[in-house]
Amino acid sequence: DSTVSVFAYTPATGALAEMQHVSTLLAGFTGENYPSEIAVAPSGRFVYCANRLHDSLAVFAVDPASGRLTPIAHVPLAGPHETAFPRHFAIDPTGEWLLVANQRGHNVAVFRMDTDTGLPEFASAVDITTPMHILF
């Protein structure tokens, strides 16, 4: 349903309790969407969720005290192409780069990460037929 759920974890029992349920889409979006990858920045300060058909990356700030998410941006992922269909993405271990496998856009889009704001900025794209996965 194009949402992310946040759970509280109790180490002593292993219990999980849902504490938040937030959309990966902009308010008012009514089209079809298929979320794909979700990842946490190496710093733990940001969470990213890819949206296929909406062709965006939802960016959330993580509250360090509660773990709750606050939406801060929706970044377009199509790059130089009309469509993206981001099948998978990965953040490099330094947290400085995010690469997106745009399956229907037939490219891997490269984004430079602002580690202070958590926002990715499009840097370039490499044409690759039907990319499916990024692995560092």
Side-chain angles (χ1 to χ4, degrees):
D1 67 352
S2 301
T3 59
V4 176
S5 294
V6 178
F7 291 83
Y9 172 64
T10 306
T13 63
L16 294 173
E18 185 176 351
M19 59 185 221
Q20 185 183 21
H21 197 70
V22 61
S23 179
T24 65
L25 297 168
L26 293 167
F29 178 77
T30 58
E32 195 170 14
N33 183 62
Y34 303 110
S36 59
E37 186 66 19
I38 184 170
V40 179
S43 68
R45 295 176 49 212
F46 304 99
V47 171
Y48 304 90
C49 304
N51 290 301
R52 292 176 283 179
L53 295 183
H54 189 260
D55 289 344
S56 68
L57 187 70
V59 182
F60 300 92
V62 179
D63 181 281
S66 69
R68 294 178 66 83
L69 303 179
T70 300
I72 57 173
H74 283 83
V75 177
L77 294 179
H81 301 281
E82 242 178 70
T83 188
F85 205 77
R87 183 72 178 200
H88 187 263
F89 71 88
I91 302 167
D92 86 297
T94 69
E96 295 180 20
W97 299 97
L98 182 140
L99 278 67
V100 182
N102 286 323
Q103 182 181 6
R104 293 184 185 167
H106 301 292
N107 69 63
V108 171
V110 179
F111 292 81
R112 181 182 305 277
M113 300 295 285
D114 183 322
T115 56
D116 291 328
T117 66
L119 297 176
E121 181 180 325
F122 179 77
S124 65
V126 178
D127 290 337
I128 297 174
T129 303
T130 318
M132 303 287 283
H133 190 79
I134 303 290
L135 180 64
F136 285 99

